[in-house]
Amino acid sequence: MLDQRILEQGSQGEEVKEIKQILLNMGYDLGEAGVDGNFCLQTEAAVKNFQADINLQYPEATVIIDGKVDGQTWFFLKKSRA
């Protein structure tokens, strides 16, 4: 999953739903939309908060806080899920 593709605001599908479920399970606020397949503003905000938290937890990672789920952000989402 997400080898080359970047998920960002406007993206849709099962991958977005999976990302949102992981974020929700970790306590990030997704707003009223909750876990659906739409990457909205609330999802972007939750991803930015997650990325900032990753940089605090793993300073060597230097994750870009842009609200987009690329391969690096997806790696840490999967790691957090485990």
Side-chain angles (χ1 to χ4, degrees):
M1 177 182 171
L2 292 176
D3 295 328
Q4 301 295 331
R5 198 164 92 120
I6 295 175
L7 296 178
E8 59 189 324
Q9 189 177 344
S11 296
Q12 297 181 344
E14 287 300 312
E15 293 171 328
V16 173
K17 192 173 182 179
E18 184 176 2
I19 288 164
K20 291 179 86 169
Q21 186 63 61
I22 294 168
L23 289 167
L24 185 66
N25 289 348
M26 293 178 2
Y28 291 95
D29 182 15
L30 298 175
E32 291 183 20
V35 178
D36 61 13
N38 297 312
F39 200 117
C40 60
L41 283 172
Q42 292 87 355
T43 308
E44 182 179 280
V47 171
K48 284 181 180 178
N49 289 332
F50 173 74
Q51 290 168 329
D53 290 345
I54 289 302
N55 282 337
L56 291 174
Q57 189 173 359
Y58 303 98
E60 69 282 1
T62 60
V63 174
I64 297 171
I65 302 171
D66 60 2
K68 299 176 183 179
V69 178
D70 58 8
Q72 185 182 36
T73 299
W74 178 239
F75 169 81
F76 284 105
L77 282 165
K78 287 193 310 187
K79 183 178 178 103
S80 298
R81 177 177 59 184

PDB file of all heavy atoms in Angstrom, residues 32-66:
ATOM      1  N   GLU A  32     -16.928  15.389  12.573  1.00  0.00           N
ATOM      2  CA  GLU A  32     -18.202  14.692  12.395  1.00  0.00           C
ATOM      3  C   GLU A  32     -18.156  13.620  11.325  1.00  0.00           C
ATOM      4  O   GLU A  32     -18.947  12.677  11.349  1.00  0.00           O
ATOM      5  CB  GLU A  32     -19.302  15.698  12.063  1.00  0.00           C
ATOM      6  CG  GLU A  32     -19.658  16.601  13.218  1.00  0.00           C
ATOM      7  CD  GLU A  32     -20.792  17.543  12.894  1.00  0.00           C
ATOM      8  OE1 GLU A  32     -21.547  17.277  11.940  1.00  0.00           O
ATOM      9  OE2 GLU A  32     -20.925  18.547  13.603  1.00  0.00           O
ATOM     10  N   ALA A  33     -17.241  13.744  10.374  1.00  0.00           N
ATOM     11  CA  ALA A  33     -17.161  12.767   9.275  1.00  0.00           C
ATOM     12  C   ALA A  33     -16.812  11.383   9.791  1.00  0.00           C
ATOM     13  O   ALA A  33     -17.268  10.379   9.256  1.00  0.00           O
ATOM     14  CB  ALA A  33     -16.143  13.214   8.243  1.00  0.00           C
ATOM     15  N   GLY A  34     -16.009  11.328  10.842  1.00  0.00           N
ATOM     16  CA  GLY A  34     -15.607  10.041  11.388  1.00  0.00           C
ATOM     17  C   GLY A  34     -14.815   9.225  10.378  1.00  0.00           C
ATOM     18  O   GLY A  34     -14.060   9.765   9.579  1.00  0.00           O
ATOM     19  N   VAL A  35     -15.007   7.924  10.423  1.00  0.00           N
ATOM     20  CA  VAL A  35     -14.262   7.014   9.555  1.00  0.00           C
ATOM     21  C   VAL A  35     -15.069   6.752   8.291  1.00  0.00           C
ATOM     22  O   VAL A  35     -15.977   5.938   8.275  1.00  0.00           O
ATOM     23  CB  VAL A  35     -13.935   5.694  10.276  1.00  0.00           C
ATOM     24  CG1 VAL A  35     -13.212   4.734   9.345  1.00  0.00           C
ATOM     25  CG2 VAL A  35     -13.104   5.954  11.519  1.00  0.00           C
ATOM     26  N   ASP A  36     -14.727   7.488   7.268  1.00  0.00           N
ATOM     27  CA  ASP A  36     -15.311   7.243   5.946  1.00  0.00           C
ATOM     28  C   ASP A  36     -14.162   7.235   4.943  1.00  0.00           C
ATOM     29  O   ASP A  36     -13.003   7.307   5.323  1.00  0.00           O
ATOM     30  CB  ASP A  36     -16.373   8.297   5.593  1.00  0.00           C
ATOM     31  CG  ASP A  36     -15.822   9.711   5.537  1.00  0.00           C
ATOM     32  OD1 ASP A  36     -14.586   9.887   5.529  1.00  0.00           O
ATOM     33  OD2 ASP A  36     -16.622  10.656   5.490  1.00  0.00           O
ATOM     34  N   GLY A  37     -14.453   7.147   3.709  1.00  0.00           N
ATOM     35  CA  GLY A  37     -13.413   7.043   2.693  1.00  0.00           C
ATOM     36  C   GLY A  37     -13.020   8.362   2.069  1.00  0.00           C
ATOM     37  O   GLY A  37     -12.418   8.378   0.995  1.00  0.00           O
ATOM     38  N   ASN A  38     -13.340   9.482   2.723  1.00  0.00           N
ATOM     39  CA  ASN A  38     -13.031  10.797   2.168  1.00  0.00           C
ATOM     40  C   ASN A  38     -11.957  11.501   2.984  1.00  0.00           C
ATOM     41  O   ASN A  38     -12.103  11.667   4.192  1.00  0.00           O
ATOM     42  CB  ASN A  38     -14.296  11.665   2.135  1.00  0.00           C
ATOM     43  CG  ASN A  38     -15.341  11.083   1.224  1.00  0.00           C
ATOM     44  OD1 ASN A  38     -15.052  10.708   0.096  1.00  0.00           O
ATOM     45  ND2 ASN A  38     -16.561  10.977   1.723  1.00  0.00           N
ATOM     46  N   PHE A  39     -10.907  11.938   2.324  1.00  0.00           N
ATOM     47  CA  PHE A  39      -9.810  12.656   2.969  1.00  0.00           C
ATOM     48  C   PHE A  39     -10.192  14.136   2.962  1.00  0.00           C
ATOM     49  O   PHE A  39     -10.019  14.845   1.981  1.00  0.00           O
ATOM     50  CB  PHE A  39      -8.516  12.435   2.185  1.00  0.00           C
ATOM     51  CG  PHE A  39      -7.265  12.694   2.963  1.00  0.00           C
ATOM     52  CD1 PHE A  39      -6.373  11.670   3.201  1.00  0.00           C
ATOM     53  CD2 PHE A  39      -6.951  13.957   3.421  1.00  0.00           C
ATOM     54  CE1 PHE A  39      -5.196  11.895   3.897  1.00  0.00           C
ATOM     55  CE2 PHE A  39      -5.787  14.198   4.122  1.00  0.00           C
ATOM     56  CZ  PHE A  39      -4.898  13.157   4.362  1.00  0.00           C
ATOM     57  N   CYS A  40     -10.725  14.602   4.093  1.00  0.00           N
ATOM     58  CA  CYS A  40     -11.251  15.960   4.196  1.00  0.00           C
ATOM     59  C   CYS A  40     -10.308  16.836   5.030  1.00  0.00           C
ATOM     60  O   CYS A  40      -9.235  16.402   5.433  1.00  0.00           O
ATOM     61  CB  CYS A  40     -12.645  15.919   4.817  1.00  0.00           C
ATOM     62  SG  CYS A  40     -12.672  15.194   6.467  1.00  0.00           S
ATOM     63  N   LEU A  41     -10.744  18.071   5.299  1.00  0.00           N
ATOM     64  CA  LEU A  41      -9.928  18.999   6.093  1.00  0.00           C
ATOM     65  C   LEU A  41      -9.623  18.452   7.486  1.00  0.00           C
ATOM     66  O   LEU A  41      -8.515  18.628   7.995  1.00  0.00           O
ATOM     67  CB  LEU A  41     -10.632  20.355   6.220  1.00  0.00           C
ATOM     68  CG  LEU A  41     -10.581  21.254   5.001  1.00  0.00           C
ATOM     69  CD1 LEU A  41     -11.470  22.477   5.199  1.00  0.00           C
ATOM     70  CD2 LEU A  41      -9.153  21.687   4.718  1.00  0.00           C
ATOM     71  N   GLN A  42     -10.607  17.799   8.108  1.00  0.00           N
ATOM     72  CA  GLN A  42     -10.392  17.241   9.438  1.00  0.00           C
ATOM     73  C   GLN A  42      -9.365  16.109   9.400  1.00  0.00           C
ATOM     74  O   GLN A  42      -8.579  15.947  10.323  1.00  0.00           O
ATOM     75  CB  GLN A  42     -11.706  16.740  10.050  1.00  0.00           C
ATOM     76  CG  GLN A  42     -12.681  17.833  10.394  1.00  0.00           C
ATOM     77  CD  GLN A  42     -13.587  18.217   9.219  1.00  0.00           C
ATOM     78  OE1 GLN A  42     -13.430  17.718   8.100  1.00  0.00           O
ATOM     79  NE2 GLN A  42     -14.521  19.097   9.453  1.00  0.00           N
ATOM     80  N   THR A  43      -9.385  15.333   8.319  1.00  0.00           N
ATOM     81  CA  THR A  43      -8.396  14.260   8.170  1.00  0.00           C
ATOM     82  C   THR A  43      -7.013  14.868   8.028  1.00  0.00           C
ATOM     83  O   THR A  43      -6.054  14.410   8.661  1.00  0.00           O
ATOM     84  CB  THR A  43      -8.716  13.398   6.930  1.00  0.00           C
ATOM     85  OG1 THR A  43     -10.074  12.974   6.988  1.00  0.00           O
ATOM     86  CG2 THR A  43      -7.799  12.186   6.866  1.00  0.00           C
ATOM     87  N   GLU A  44      -6.908  15.904   7.206  1.00  0.00           N
ATOM     88  CA  GLU A  44      -5.621  16.575   7.022  1.00  0.00           C
ATOM     89  C   GLU A  44      -5.097  17.107   8.360  1.00  0.00           C
ATOM     90  O   GLU A  44      -3.911  16.952   8.676  1.00  0.00           O
ATOM     91  CB  GLU A  44      -5.764  17.716   6.026  1.00  0.00           C
ATOM     92  CG  GLU A  44      -4.461  18.426   5.739  1.00  0.00           C
ATOM     93  CD  GLU A  44      -4.639  19.541   4.738  1.00  0.00           C
ATOM     94  OE1 GLU A  44      -4.692  19.237   3.522  1.00  0.00           O
ATOM     95  OE2 GLU A  44      -4.723  20.711   5.160  1.00  0.00           O
ATOM     96  N   ALA A  45      -5.968  17.706   9.161  1.00  0.00           N
ATOM     97  CA  ALA A  45      -5.558  18.229  10.468  1.00  0.00           C
ATOM     98  C   ALA A  45      -5.092  17.103  11.386  1.00  0.00           C
ATOM     99  O   ALA A  45      -4.073  17.237  12.087  1.00  0.00           O
ATOM    100  CB  ALA A  45      -6.703  19.001  11.108  1.00  0.00           C
ATOM    101  N   ALA A  46      -5.803  15.990  11.382  1.00  0.00           N
ATOM    102  CA  ALA A  46      -5.418  14.843  12.212  1.00  0.00           C
ATOM    103  C   ALA A  46      -4.069  14.286  11.764  1.00  0.00           C
ATOM    104  O   ALA A  46      -3.225  13.942  12.599  1.00  0.00           O
ATOM    105  CB  ALA A  46      -6.489  13.759  12.153  1.00  0.00           C
ATOM    106  N   VAL A  47      -3.848  14.217  10.458  1.00  0.00           N
ATOM    107  CA  VAL A  47      -2.563  13.728   9.937  1.00  0.00           C
ATOM    108  C   VAL A  47      -1.436  14.680  10.341  1.00  0.00           C
ATOM    109  O   VAL A  47      -0.363  14.233  10.753  1.00  0.00           O
ATOM    110  CB  VAL A  47      -2.616  13.525   8.404  1.00  0.00           C
ATOM    111  CG1 VAL A  47      -1.225  13.237   7.844  1.00  0.00           C
ATOM    112  CG2 VAL A  47      -3.578  12.401   8.054  1.00  0.00           C
ATOM    113  N   LYS A  48      -1.677  15.984  10.258  1.00  0.00           N
ATOM    114  CA  LYS A  48      -0.654  16.953  10.678  1.00  0.00           C
ATOM    115  C   LYS A  48      -0.311  16.779  12.157  1.00  0.00           C
ATOM    116  O   LYS A  48       0.867  16.817  12.542  1.00  0.00           O
ATOM    117  CB  LYS A  48      -1.128  18.385  10.427  1.00  0.00           C
ATOM    118  CG  LYS A  48      -1.060  18.802   8.982  1.00  0.00           C
ATOM    119  CD  LYS A  48      -1.530  20.249   8.819  1.00  0.00           C
ATOM    120  CE  LYS A  48      -1.470  20.680   7.370  1.00  0.00           C
ATOM    121  NZ  LYS A  48      -1.959  22.062   7.194  1.00  0.00           N
ATOM    122  N   ASN A  49      -1.326  16.588  12.990  1.00  0.00           N
ATOM    123  CA  ASN A  49      -1.078  16.356  14.416  1.00  0.00           C
ATOM    124  C   ASN A  49      -0.285  15.074  14.630  1.00  0.00           C
ATOM    125  O   ASN A  49       0.642  15.035  15.449  1.00  0.00           O
ATOM    126  CB  ASN A  49      -2.391  16.309  15.192  1.00  0.00           C
ATOM    127  CG  ASN A  49      -3.042  17.664  15.300  1.00  0.00           C
ATOM    128  OD1 ASN A  49      -2.375  18.692  15.290  1.00  0.00           O
ATOM    129  ND2 ASN A  49      -4.352  17.685  15.402  1.00  0.00           N
ATOM    130  N   PHE A  50      -0.633  14.028  13.899  1.00  0.00           N
ATOM    131  CA  PHE A  50       0.094  12.762  13.981  1.00  0.00           C
ATOM    132  C   PHE A  50       1.549  12.960  13.548  1.00  0.00           C
ATOM    133  O   PHE A  50       2.479  12.493  14.213  1.00  0.00           O
ATOM    134  CB  PHE A  50      -0.584  11.700  13.115  1.00  0.00           C
ATOM    135  CG  PHE A  50       0.184  10.424  13.010  1.00  0.00           C
ATOM    136  CD1 PHE A  50       0.234   9.540  14.075  1.00  0.00           C
ATOM    137  CD2 PHE A  50       0.887  10.108  11.856  1.00  0.00           C
ATOM    138  CE1 PHE A  50       0.960   8.357  13.995  1.00  0.00           C
ATOM    139  CE2 PHE A  50       1.603   8.930  11.759  1.00  0.00           C
ATOM    140  CZ  PHE A  50       1.642   8.054  12.840  1.00  0.00           C
ATOM    141  N   GLN A  51       1.763  13.659  12.443  1.00  0.00           N
ATOM    142  CA  GLN A  51       3.116  13.901  11.951  1.00  0.00           C
ATOM    143  C   GLN A  51       3.946  14.688  12.969  1.00  0.00           C
ATOM    144  O   GLN A  51       5.118  14.384  13.185  1.00  0.00           O
ATOM    145  CB  GLN A  51       3.076  14.635  10.610  1.00  0.00           C
ATOM    146  CG  GLN A  51       2.549  13.760   9.486  1.00  0.00           C
ATOM    147  CD  GLN A  51       2.226  14.527   8.221  1.00  0.00           C
ATOM    148  OE1 GLN A  51       1.834  15.695   8.260  1.00  0.00           O
ATOM    149  NE2 GLN A  51       2.366  13.863   7.075  1.00  0.00           N
ATOM    150  N   ALA A  52       3.338  15.682  13.601  1.00  0.00           N
ATOM    151  CA  ALA A  52       4.037  16.448  14.632  1.00  0.00           C
ATOM    152  C   ALA A  52       4.399  15.557  15.813  1.00  0.00           C
ATOM    153  O   ALA A  52       5.512  15.646  16.354  1.00  0.00           O
ATOM    154  CB  ALA A  52       3.184  17.629  15.082  1.00  0.00           C
ATOM    155  N   ASP A  53       3.481  14.686  16.210  1.00  0.00           N
ATOM    156  CA  ASP A  53       3.744  13.761  17.311  1.00  0.00           C
ATOM    157  C   ASP A  53       4.869  12.788  16.964  1.00  0.00           C
ATOM    158  O   ASP A  53       5.692  12.451  17.816  1.00  0.00           O
ATOM    159  CB  ASP A  53       2.477  12.992  17.682  1.00  0.00           C
ATOM    160  CG  ASP A  53       1.433  13.883  18.355  1.00  0.00           C
ATOM    161  OD1 ASP A  53       1.781  15.007  18.788  1.00  0.00           O
ATOM    162  OD2 ASP A  53       0.261  13.450  18.423  1.00  0.00           O
ATOM    163  N   ILE A  54       4.904  12.339  15.719  1.00  0.00           N
ATOM    164  CA  ILE A  54       5.981  11.440  15.281  1.00  0.00           C
ATOM    165  C   ILE A  54       7.326  12.133  15.406  1.00  0.00           C
ATOM    166  O   ILE A  54       8.309  11.552  15.862  1.00  0.00           O
ATOM    167  CB  ILE A  54       5.742  10.951  13.833  1.00  0.00           C
ATOM    168  CG1 ILE A  54       4.585   9.973  13.799  1.00  0.00           C
ATOM    169  CG2 ILE A  54       6.993  10.315  13.226  1.00  0.00           C
ATOM    170  CD1 ILE A  54       4.755   8.750  14.679  1.00  0.00           C
ATOM    171  N   ASN A  55       7.396  13.401  14.992  1.00  0.00           N
ATOM    172  CA  ASN A  55       8.656  14.137  15.088  1.00  0.00           C
ATOM    173  C   ASN A  55       9.099  14.309  16.530  1.00  0.00           C
ATOM    174  O   ASN A  55      10.305  14.333  16.806  1.00  0.00           O
ATOM    175  CB  ASN A  55       8.540  15.494  14.393  1.00  0.00           C
ATOM    176  CG  ASN A  55       8.631  15.374  12.892  1.00  0.00           C
ATOM    177  OD1 ASN A  55       9.182  14.412  12.365  1.00  0.00           O
ATOM    178  ND2 ASN A  55       8.079  16.327  12.182  1.00  0.00           N
ATOM    179  N   LEU A  56       8.162  14.417  17.461  1.00  0.00           N
ATOM    180  CA  LEU A  56       8.521  14.490  18.870  1.00  0.00           C
ATOM    181  C   LEU A  56       9.016  13.142  19.383  1.00  0.00           C
ATOM    182  O   LEU A  56       9.983  13.073  20.136  1.00  0.00           O
ATOM    183  CB  LEU A  56       7.317  14.951  19.702  1.00  0.00           C
ATOM    184  CG  LEU A  56       6.880  16.394  19.509  1.00  0.00           C
ATOM    185  CD1 LEU A  56       5.587  16.663  20.277  1.00  0.00           C
ATOM    186  CD2 LEU A  56       7.970  17.346  19.955  1.00  0.00           C
ATOM    187  N   GLN A  57       8.363  12.083  18.948  1.00  0.00           N
ATOM    188  CA  GLN A  57       8.708  10.744  19.423  1.00  0.00           C
ATOM    189  C   GLN A  57       9.969  10.208  18.739  1.00  0.00           C
ATOM    190  O   GLN A  57      10.756   9.500  19.358  1.00  0.00           O
ATOM    191  CB  GLN A  57       7.542   9.796  19.178  1.00  0.00           C
ATOM    192  CG  GLN A  57       7.707   8.445  19.826  1.00  0.00           C
ATOM    193  CD  GLN A  57       6.445   7.605  19.702  1.00  0.00           C
ATOM    194  OE1 GLN A  57       5.435   8.030  19.146  1.00  0.00           O
ATOM    195  NE2 GLN A  57       6.508   6.403  20.229  1.00  0.00           N
ATOM    196  N   TYR A  58      10.143  10.518  17.454  1.00  0.00           N
ATOM    197  CA  TYR A  58      11.284  10.037  16.676  1.00  0.00           C
ATOM    198  C   TYR A  58      11.937  11.226  15.973  1.00  0.00           C
ATOM    199  O   TYR A  58      11.760  11.419  14.773  1.00  0.00           O
ATOM    200  CB  TYR A  58      10.834   9.023  15.613  1.00  0.00           C
ATOM    201  CG  TYR A  58      10.107   7.828  16.156  1.00  0.00           C
ATOM    202  CD1 TYR A  58       8.718   7.762  16.144  1.00  0.00           C
ATOM    203  CD2 TYR A  58      10.808   6.736  16.678  1.00  0.00           C
ATOM    204  CE1 TYR A  58       8.046   6.665  16.631  1.00  0.00           C
ATOM    205  CE2 TYR A  58      10.141   5.636  17.173  1.00  0.00           C
ATOM    206  CZ  TYR A  58       8.758   5.601  17.151  1.00  0.00           C
ATOM    207  OH  TYR A  58       8.082   4.512  17.635  1.00  0.00           O
ATOM    208  N   PRO A  59      12.711  12.055  16.708  1.00  0.00           N
ATOM    209  CA  PRO A  59      13.269  13.270  16.109  1.00  0.00           C
ATOM    210  C   PRO A  59      14.149  13.005  14.891  1.00  0.00           C
ATOM    211  O   PRO A  59      14.263  13.851  14.011  1.00  0.00           O
ATOM    212  CB  PRO A  59      14.084  13.901  17.235  1.00  0.00           C
ATOM    213  CG  PRO A  59      13.834  13.109  18.457  1.00  0.00           C
ATOM    214  CD  PRO A  59      13.053  11.891  18.095  1.00  0.00           C
ATOM    215  N   GLU A  60      14.714  11.838  14.820  1.00  0.00           N
ATOM    216  CA  GLU A  60      15.572  11.504  13.671  1.00  0.00           C
ATOM    217  C   GLU A  60      14.758  11.276  12.398  1.00  0.00           C
ATOM    218  O   GLU A  60      15.298  11.296  11.285  1.00  0.00           O
ATOM    219  CB  GLU A  60      16.433  10.263  13.968  1.00  0.00           C
ATOM    220  CG  GLU A  60      15.684   8.952  14.075  1.00  0.00           C
ATOM    221  CD  GLU A  60      14.938   8.708  15.387  1.00  0.00           C
ATOM    222  OE1 GLU A  60      14.953   9.564  16.287  1.00  0.00           O
ATOM    223  OE2 GLU A  60      14.338   7.629  15.509  1.00  0.00           O
ATOM    224  N   ALA A  61      13.459  11.095  12.525  1.00  0.00           N
ATOM    225  CA  ALA A  61      12.617  10.798  11.365  1.00  0.00           C
ATOM    226  C   ALA A  61      12.380  12.033  10.501  1.00  0.00           C
ATOM    227  O   ALA A  61      12.272  11.928   9.290  1.00  0.00           O
ATOM    228  CB  ALA A  61      11.282  10.226  11.812  1.00  0.00           C
ATOM    229  N   THR A  62      12.301  13.194  11.112  1.00  0.00           N
ATOM    230  CA  THR A  62      12.001  14.454  10.422  1.00  0.00           C
ATOM    231  C   THR A  62      10.889  14.307   9.377  1.00  0.00           C
ATOM    232  O   THR A  62      11.071  14.566   8.195  1.00  0.00           O
ATOM    233  CB  THR A  62      13.258  15.084   9.772  1.00  0.00           C
ATOM    234  OG1 THR A  62      13.802  14.178   8.809  1.00  0.00           O
ATOM    235  CG2 THR A  62      14.303  15.428  10.811  1.00  0.00           C
ATOM    236  N   VAL A  63       9.737  13.888   9.842  1.00  0.00           N
ATOM    237  CA  VAL A  63       8.561  13.764   8.989  1.00  0.00           C
ATOM    238  C   VAL A  63       8.084  15.171   8.630  1.00  0.00           C
ATOM    239  O   VAL A  63       7.990  16.044   9.491  1.00  0.00           O
ATOM    240  CB  VAL A  63       7.439  12.993   9.716  1.00  0.00           C
ATOM    241  CG1 VAL A  63       6.159  12.983   8.919  1.00  0.00           C
ATOM    242  CG2 VAL A  63       7.887  11.570  10.015  1.00  0.00           C
ATOM    243  N   ILE A  64       7.785  15.400   7.384  1.00  0.00           N
ATOM    244  CA  ILE A  64       7.264  16.691   6.945  1.00  0.00           C
ATOM    245  C   ILE A  64       5.818  16.813   7.410  1.00  0.00           C
ATOM    246  O   ILE A  64       4.997  15.926   7.162  1.00  0.00           O
ATOM    247  CB  ILE A  64       7.349  16.830   5.413  1.00  0.00           C
ATOM    248  CG1 ILE A  64       8.808  16.793   4.979  1.00  0.00           C
ATOM    249  CG2 ILE A  64       6.675  18.111   4.947  1.00  0.00           C
ATOM    250  CD1 ILE A  64       9.001  16.714   3.481  1.00  0.00           C
ATOM    251  N   ILE A  65       5.517  17.911   8.081  1.00  0.00           N
ATOM    252  CA  ILE A  65       4.171  18.130   8.613  1.00  0.00           C
ATOM    253  C   ILE A  65       3.370  18.871   7.546  1.00  0.00           C
ATOM    254  O   ILE A  65       3.299  20.103   7.530  1.00  0.00           O
ATOM    255  CB  ILE A  65       4.220  18.911   9.940  1.00  0.00           C
ATOM    256  CG1 ILE A  65       5.074  18.145  10.953  1.00  0.00           C
ATOM    257  CG2 ILE A  65       2.802  19.129  10.478  1.00  0.00           C
ATOM    258  CD1 ILE A  65       5.366  18.908  12.217  1.00  0.00           C
ATOM    259  N   ASP A  66       2.792  18.087   6.644  1.00  0.00           N
ATOM    260  CA  ASP A  66       2.055  18.676   5.532  1.00  0.00           C
ATOM    261  C   ASP A  66       0.631  18.128   5.414  1.00  0.00           C
ATOM    262  O   ASP A  66      -0.131  18.551   4.552  1.00  0.00           O
ATOM    263  CB  ASP A  66       2.797  18.468   4.214  1.00  0.00           C
ATOM    264  CG  ASP A  66       3.020  17.000   3.869  1.00  0.00           C
ATOM    265  OD1 ASP A  66       2.564  16.112   4.626  1.00  0.00           O
ATOM    266  OD2 ASP A  66       3.663  16.739   2.846  1.00  0.00           O
TER     267      ASP A  66
END
